[in-house]
Amino acid sequence: MTEEKTTADAATAKAPKLWNVPNVLTMARIVLSIILFAIMPFKMYVTALALFIVAAITDFVDGWWARKFNQKTQFGRIMDPFADKMLVCGTLIYLVTIPFLHDLFPCSGCACPLACIPIGLATWMVVAIIMRELFVTMLRSMVEASGGDFSAKWIGKWKTTIQCVDIPLAFVLLILEARGVASPVWLRLAFVVGLYAVTYLTLYSGWIYIRAAIQMQKHD
């Protein structure tokens, strides 16, 4: 009996605590996201930019800390991707409601019909990103419920990285526009290129996850 108790105590001592640093950072990211969404309608873009950057940094730090100090928990495994999706998808939903970001290269009177196609943050991009996130989350739940490993792929990490760079560019464009300052062409171009890169990686990484899930099911 004593030996069993000692073994149980040792296992408990080695198990990461629920409220460790990574999980606290994850919850902090959720709180920061809520504050960010609350101030967006008031056009407080400087504060929103700062909040998004801090929240994105917590995403990097909590993952690094959990791996470095072996503080991975089931709670963190569930809440960390939820917090990431809440931050990115929620921010994109708010940004796509802002008309200024819809067409960053307005038509200058050119007769070519293609020149009048809006180039900027489009609704279909945000819908594609959100649908991908929801679908991959469903696949992950199904695969891991059957005992499979559905860890993040490198392309998914690249997608998240570009998102965390591109969204701050949107805030910078909005800050300049609110101050009546013309945004430089290179900044608008960088934002648009980032949008299409994120959309492509979103769809492509979604296909990779689907293919991986199919392969796992074939081996079962």
Side-chain angles (χ1 to χ4, degrees):
M1 185 63 143
T2 305
E3 184 178 349
E4 291 178 357
K5 183 178 180 181
T6 303
T7 304
D9 291 342
T12 304
K14 291 180 181 179
K17 295 180 180 179
L18 176 62
W19 293 113
N20 54 25
V21 172
N23 289 344
V24 169
L25 289 174
T26 296
M27 296 308 296
R29 185 156 68 257
I30 292 175
V31 173
L32 289 172
S33 298
I34 294 172
I35 298 173
L36 171 61
F37 303 154
I39 67 173
M40 283 284 290
F42 299 99
K43 299 183 179 182
M44 300 171 62
Y45 299 133
V46 175
T47 305
L49 172 61
L51 287 172
F52 186 89
I53 291 175
V54 172
I57 290 174
T58 67
D59 181 26
F60 167 77
V61 174
D62 67 11
W64 172 84
W65 192 288
R67 292 187 298 270
K68 178 74 173 178
F69 300 102
N70 192 28
Q71 293 187 352
K72 298 179 182 179
T73 63
Q74 186 64 26
F75 177 83
R77 188 174 179 83
I78 295 172
M79 293 304 296
D80 182 63
F82 169 77
D84 297 344
K85 291 171 177 56
M86 179 178 178
L87 174 65
V88 172
C89 294
T91 303
L92 286 174
I93 289 172
Y94 275 89
L95 290 176
V96 80
T97 64
I98 302 174
F100 170 72
L101 296 175
H102 294 176
D103 190 4
L104 295 172
F105 297 92
C107 180
S108 57
C110 177
C112 177
L114 294 178
C116 295
I117 298 176
I119 301 176
L121 181 60
T123 304
W124 68 267
M125 294 178 175
V126 178
V127 171
I129 291 171
I130 294 174
M131 290 300 99
R132 180 267 186 197
E133 299 294 358
L134 292 174
F135 189 69
V136 169
T137 299
M138 179 189 69
L139 282 179
R140 178 179 285 111
S141 299
M142 291 173 57
V143 171
E144 293 189 348
S146 61
D149 181 18
F150 207 67
S151 301
K153 309 293 183 184
W154 66 268
I155 194 168
K157 294 179 180 179
W158 269 107
K159 171 189 67 68
T160 302
T161 300
I162 296 175
Q163 285 174 337
C164 290
V165 172
D166 206 45
I167 290 175
L169 292 182
F171 284 122
V172 173
L173 288 170
L174 291 171
I175 291 169
L176 293 176
E177 192 269 342
R179 295 178 177 178
V181 179
S183 55
V185 174
W186 68 264
L187 183 60
R188 284 177 279 146
L189 185 61
F191 174 63
V192 170
V193 170
L195 283 176
Y196 281 95
V198 165
T199 305
Y200 169 75
L201 289 176
T202 294
L203 298 176
Y204 183 61
S205 63
W207 163 243
I208 289 179
Y209 279 111
I210 293 172
R211 189 173 59 185
I214 293 173
Q215 291 297 324
M216 289 177 185
Q217 293 301 315
K218 286 182 178 179
H219 287 92
D220 289 344

